[in-house]
Amino acid sequence: MDSTELAQYLESTNSITKPWLLVQLRLKKLQERQANISEDTYANELADIHQDLMNLGEWWRGIEEEVF
């Protein structure tokens, strides 16, 4: 699945509000651009995505049924 298909899936399933799926989309888009960007740019963008993922923390605790 490429980033376009993933984005369409997120829209069709109303999952655009699920931050962990948006992280997945960002990772897919970065993967697709990897051959066209420098290693430093790739590493910086990957670190940024990783930090955003870590910032999510355990926000889902107690509302698992609602969000998953």
Side-chain angles (χ1 to χ4, degrees):
M1 178 179 291
D2 67 14
S3 63
T4 302
E5 292 169 331
L6 180 57
Q8 289 171 345
Y9 170 80
L10 294 177
E11 289 176 355
S12 69
T13 60
N14 199 28
S15 297
I16 202 76
T17 60
K18 297 178 179 175
W20 64 95
L21 292 177
L22 295 177
V23 168
Q24 186 176 356
L25 178 60
R26 288 178 63 198
L27 282 171
K28 180 52 89 174
K29 289 179 134 261
L30 180 59
Q31 179 187 29
E32 292 170 355
R33 294 177 38 236
Q34 185 176 7
N36 300 322
I37 60 177
S38 71
E39 288 182 25
D40 288 340
T41 300
Y42 178 81
N44 289 338
E45 289 187 28
L46 185 59
D48 184 54
I49 293 169
H50 178 260
Q51 187 58 54
D52 287 347
L53 179 62
M54 293 298 101
N55 288 343
L56 291 177
E58 295 184 357
W59 60 270
W60 46 266
R61 292 254 180 211
I63 58 171
E64 294 90 344
E65 294 297 320
E66 220 176 286
V67 296
F68 294 114

